[in-house]
Amino acid sequence: MLGEPAHSPGIISGYGFGAGCYNKTIRLPLQGHPLIALSQIHKSYRVDGRDIPALNGIDLTVAAGEIFGIIGHSGAGKSTLIRLINLLERPSAGSIRIDGADITALDGAGLRSLRQQVGMIFQHFNLLGSKTVARNIAFPLEIAGQLGRAEIDARVDELLELVGLAEHKHKYPSQLSGGQKQRVGIARALANRPKVLLCDEATSALDPQTTQSVLQLLAKINRELNLTIVLITHEMDVIRSICDRVAVIDGGKIVEMGPVTQVFLYPQHPTTQRFVSEAEHIDETAQAEAFAHVPGKVVRMTFIGETTYEGFLGNAAREFGIDFSILSGRIERIKDTPCGQMLLAFTGCEAALAAAFAQFRSRGIDIEELR
Amino acid sequence: MDLSFLSDIDWPEIGTASIDTLLMLGGSLLFTVLLGLPLGIVLFLTSKGQLLANTALNRALGLVVNVLRSIPFIILLIALMPVTEFITGTRIGLLGMIPPLVIGAAPFLARLVETALREVEHGVIEAAQAMGASTRQILCGVLLPESLGGLLAGITVTAITLVSYTAMAGLVGGGGLGDLSIRYGYYRYQTEIMMVTIVLLLVLVQILQMAGDKLVQHFSRK
C-alpha cells in the first residue's frame, strides 16, 4: 500500500471469487470499505396477476472508491439492479445497505435525502429541455435547498469547469451534442457531492469516440474525487476501459464476479465467455480448426502486469533452444493494467519445452497447454 | 360595392356586445384555468404508474370529467341554472354565464392538461426523483416547465372553444356578440348584423390562435 498515490482507486480484491489468482505486479487494492452491500435481493414484477421474477438472489458488495461494472444482455435484470441502489425500484426481498445503513425501509424525507447522496446518469441523459445547461445543473442543488443563490451559481461554475462545458453554460440541451448532454448529466449528478454515482447505460447512446471521452471523464472523477461509481452496460469495452471489478448478470442472477482482468482473461461462465469473445472478436472453436495443421505444442499464455512488456519469449527461445510461432494474440490494457493473452505453437524437445514453461510460470505467466 | 348597410348598423350596441363577449371570455377563461389546470394535474398524477397513483380517485375524477364533457354545452347551460343562481345570485347576464362556461370548459381543459403532462418523458421525471425531488418539486420544477408549450396550446384551444360557448350564452340572455346575432340576425332577419358579428368572432378567434401559437413557440424548447 505504501507508495501508492492516495487517490488511486486500485483494484479491490477479496470481494469476488478468483481474486487470489493474480500476479503480484498488479497494483495493490485500495482498502475501500464496503460502501454498498446488496444481500439476497429478489425482485419480481406483477404482470397480469402473475409474478415475473427479474432478480433472483443477488449478493453484491461495492467498495468505496472503486468503479464497479455490471454487464448483461438486455432483459438480464441489470437495469432493475442499478435502480435498487437509489430505490427507484424497491426489492421484493433482501436488504440494501449504503454505508452500513439499511435503506430499504426509507420513505419520504429519508428517501429524498438518500437520493441526494446518490447521483445518477442515464442512457438518454434525461435533461430538462426547458432549462439551460446551468439551470439543469443547479436543479438538484435547488431541490436540496441547502445553498443560497450565489453559492449555487459558484457550484454550477465549478461543475461546468470539471466537465469542460464552461462555454456552453447558457445553451439549451437541444443545442448540445450527445456527449455534451451526458457531461451535463454528469455535472448534474455530482452537484450535491454524492457518495456514489450510478450510471445507467450512460454511453449506450453515444458513438465510440464520444463514449471513450465520457468514460475518461468518469475515470477522472473517480480518481480525483475518489467517487464510487456503479455502472451497467451491455458493452464489454466499457467494462474494460474503466472498471475495477465486474459482475456478469444473466437471468436475474450474478453468474460471475471479480476483478476485470481476471474475468476478462479467464472467463468461466458461458455468458461471460460470449461477452469476452464478442469484445475481442475471437472465436475459439473457429481458431481450433484453423490451427489444426500447425505443428508443435499449442499453448495459451496469459500475462498480467509489467511482464507483458518483457522479452520472455525471445529469452526462452535462446536459452532453451526452442522455437515458437504466434497463432493469435492480443496485448492490451485493462483499465490501467497491461495484460495479454496469446495462442502459441512451441516446437522443441520435450525437456526444453518443460523447462521453458517452468520458467514462464515462475515469472507469473499463466500457461495452459491446449494440445 | 354597396356599403351603405354599414351605416344602418347600431355600432354602439355592437361595441357593447363585443366588450361583453371579451369580458365573458376573460372571466370564464381565468376560472377555467384555475379549475381545469389543477384538475388535469390531479388526473395525471393519480393515473397508473405516476407519482400519486390512485386508481379510485383517478376513476372518480375521470368519470366526472367524462360526464360533464358528454353533455352538450347548450343543455349544460340550462341544466346548471340553479347552480349558477346559487353561486352568483343571477341566472342571466355576464355573471350568470361564467359558472356554466367554466363548468363546461374546465373538464375539457383538464383533459388537455393531462395529455400535455403525459408528453413529458418519463425519464426526466425519473431523473428528478433520483435527485430526491418531492412531488411538489417535480411538479413545479419539471412537469409544468417541461410541458409549458403543451399547456399553452391547450389553453388556446380552450379559449377558442369558450368563444363559441359564449355565443350560445346569447340564447339564455347572456349578452355578447352571440346574443346580438341571435336577436338581430335570427329574430329580426338583419343579416348584416349577423355578418358583422361573424367577422368579429372570426377576428377574435384568429387573434387568440395567433397569440397562443406565438406563446407556445416561445416557451417550447425542443
Side-chain angles (χ1 to χ4, degrees), chain B residues 65-88:
Chain B
V65 164
N66 290 345
V67 165
L68 287 175
R69 287 198 55 203
S70 54
I71 302 171
F73 181 68
I74 189 75
I75 292 168
L76 193 70
L77 195 61
I78 296 160
L80 280 176
M81 279 185 163
V83 179
T84 306
E85 197 168 5
F86 177 75
I87 296 173
T88 64

Side-chain angles (χ1 to χ4, degrees), chain A residues 83 112 115 126 129-131 143, chain B residues 123 126 129 132 137 141 146:
Chain A
R83 278 174 167 66
R112 289 198 295 277
R115 285 174 174 171
N126 297 350
S130 58
K131 289 180 163 66
I143 287 171
Chain B
E126 193 179 48
Q129 277 182 293
Q137 285 169 325
E146 288 293 296

Side-chain angles (χ1 to χ4, degrees), chain B:
Chain B
M1 187 175 163
D2 181 18
L3 291 174
S4 64
F5 71 88
L6 285 175
S7 57
D8 301 334
I9 291 171
D10 186 352
W11 289 105
E13 184 147 20
I14 288 194
T16 316
S18 302
I19 288 168
D20 283 353
T21 291
L22 289 177
L23 285 174
M24 248 191 294
L25 176 64
S28 59
L29 186 60
L30 174 71
F31 287 104
T32 299
V33 172
L34 288 179
L35 196 69
L37 186 63
L39 184 58
I41 290 169
V42 174
L43 275 174
F44 172 75
L45 290 178
T46 56
S47 62
K48 197 171 167 240
Q50 296 301 338
L51 294 166
L52 302 175
N54 182 332
T55 316
L57 181 59
N58 189 264
R59 286 209 181 132
L61 282 176
L63 185 70
V64 171
V65 164
N66 290 345
V67 165
L68 287 175
R69 287 198 55 203
S70 54
I71 302 171
F73 181 68
I74 189 75
I75 292 168
L76 193 70
L77 195 61
I78 296 160
L80 280 176
M81 279 185 163
V83 179
T84 306
E85 197 168 5
F86 177 75
I87 296 173
T88 64
T90 176
R91 293 181 171 211
I92 55 164
L94 288 184
L95 210 55
M97 288 308 110
I98 290 188
L101 284 170
V102 171
I103 292 168
F108 177 62
L109 177 61
R111 283 293 185 208
L112 295 177
V113 167
E114 189 193 3
T115 311
L117 294 174
R118 239 178 248 297
E119 290 291 304
V120 177
E121 264 176 74
H122 186 72
V124 180
I125 300 170
E126 193 179 48
Q129 277 182 293
M131 289 174 210
S134 62
T135 303
R136 188 183 55 79
Q137 285 169 325
I138 293 175
L139 178 64
C140 299
V142 179
L143 287 170
L144 295 180
E146 288 293 296
S147 62
L148 191 55
L151 295 177
L152 289 168
I155 291 170
T156 306
V157 172
T158 306
I160 289 166
T161 305
L162 275 171
V163 171
S164 71
Y165 284 3
T166 61
M168 283 186 231
L171 272 181
V172 294
L177 288 168
D179 181 35
L180 199 69
S181 70
I182 290 163
R183 278 193 286 125
Y184 289 85
Y186 184 63
Y187 296 133
R188 300 190 197 169
Y189 306 107
Q190 290 187 4
T191 322
E192 57 280 4
I193 293 222
M194 180 128 77
M195 285 304 173
V196 170
T197 58
I198 287 174
V199 170
L200 286 174
L201 287 171
L202 199 122
V203 169
L204 178 60
V205 167
Q206 202 60 36
I207 288 172
L208 283 172
Q209 188 64 58
M210 275 161 55
D213 287 348
K214 267 267 181 296
L215 284 172
V216 171
Q217 202 182 14
H218 184 261
F219 288 104
S220 298
R221 295 257 173 211
K222 277 203 178 161

